[in-house]
Amino acid sequence: MSRLIDITPPLRSSSAVFPGDARFELRQTFSIGPGCPVNVAAFSMSVHCGAHADAPLHYAKEGATIDQLALEDYIGPARVIDARGAGPLVEPQDIEAALADVPQRLLLRCEESLDPDVWPEGFRTLAPETVELLASRGVRLVGVDVPSVDPDTSKDLPSHMTVFRHDMRILENLVLAGVEPGDYELIALPIRLEGLDAAPVRAVLRTLARD
């Protein structure tokens, strides 16, 4: 029997964001009490807070917005690969052996584990050559357990630009610690935010039923 594995970090006021970006903020609009039968909360945050899907508009001035992207890329067969290592970048040779018959969606565990309330300076991320390799193998979506597919200090975003050239999709800030490498079904649909450069996702993996 299949089961669901939640790979979404919690969203709360302490959630880490890129320095200077909008944090998660919560307020109570209505509270149950005399004359009020309901609780209603409101929140605001960066569209890059927590697990999210980048749209091409995030890294290309004329790129597509998140509501213009096909949902099919965000649901379907996926592979989780352990890409942890000592270097700052996941290089092609670090994962090439695990790409046989790779599905169109690939999730890379780059770090041991991350505290969702602490910004992880110097996190391990993807070499652009690795993105090129994935594109050559037919990968349509790449997900990572870190805040970006490029280093947080990067100004030219070479891996994002490689993704853009190949019209691939990106998921960031997933929780992959404790997920066994292997094949799953991914469900990570972005919220339909019109005209924006990213959107939050509730990302889950469904284990594959065994005969």
Side-chain angles (χ1 to χ4, degrees):
M1 180 179 296
S2 64
R3 63 186 178 91
L4 294 180
I5 303 171
D6 194 347
I7 56 171
T8 314
L11 285 172
R12 53 199 179 207
S13 59
S14 58
S15 294
V17 296
F18 184 85
D21 201 358
R23 302 188 68 88
F24 181 93
E25 295 185 356
L26 178 69
R27 64 183 177 87
Q28 200 71 26
T29 307
F30 299 104
S31 297
I32 293 175
C36 182
V38 295
N39 287 315
V40 178
F43 69 90
S44 64
M45 67 177 191
S46 166
V47 291
H48 297 268
C49 190
H52 63 274
D54 278 355
L57 180 64
H58 176 49
Y59 39 87
K61 187 175 181 180
E62 304 301 326
T65 59
I66 194 66
D67 56 305
Q68 295 174 326
L69 303 182
L71 292 178
E72 286 80 2
D73 288 330
Y74 299 96
I75 182 168
R79 181 169 297 170
V80 175
I81 293 178
D82 188 343
R84 290 174 293 172
L89 298 175
V90 178
E91 301 287 353
Q93 62 269 21
D94 296 331
I95 62 169
E96 191 165 13
L99 296 182
D101 300 317
V102 66
Q104 290 186 324
R105 299 158 198 86
L106 187 66
L107 309 181
L108 298 175
R109 182 182 178 186
C110 299
E111 292 285 355
E112 183 67 27
S113 63
L114 295 177
D115 184 340
D117 294 340
V118 176
W119 179 258
E121 293 183 1
F123 53 84
R124 180 171 164 88
T125 186
L126 307 186
E129 296 82 4
T130 300
V131 181
E132 288 283 3
L133 172 63
L134 300 182
S136 73
R137 299 296 181 89
V139 172
R140 291 281 304 141
L141 175 146
V142 58
V144 292
D145 63 342
V146 290
S148 176
V149 297
D150 278 299
D152 56 348
T153 56
S154 176
K155 301 303 182 184
D156 52 359
L157 304 179
S159 289
H160 280 89
M161 292 299 100
T162 306
V163 164
F164 182 65
R165 286 197 303 274
H166 293 286
D167 193 30
M168 298 166 69
R169 304 290 171 253
I170 299 173
L171 293 175
E172 294 169 334
N173 268 343
L174 303 175
V175 178
L176 297 177
V179 178
E180 290 293 325
D183 290 345
Y184 299 86
E185 179 188 12
L186 171 69
I187 306 166
L189 302 179
I191 295 175
R192 193 175 183 179
L193 298 177
E194 186 172 343
L196 296 191
D197 59 280
V201 301
R202 182 65 181 266
V204 299
L205 294 171
R206 191 196 307 271
T207 61
L208 303 179
R210 306 298 182 186
D211 294 333

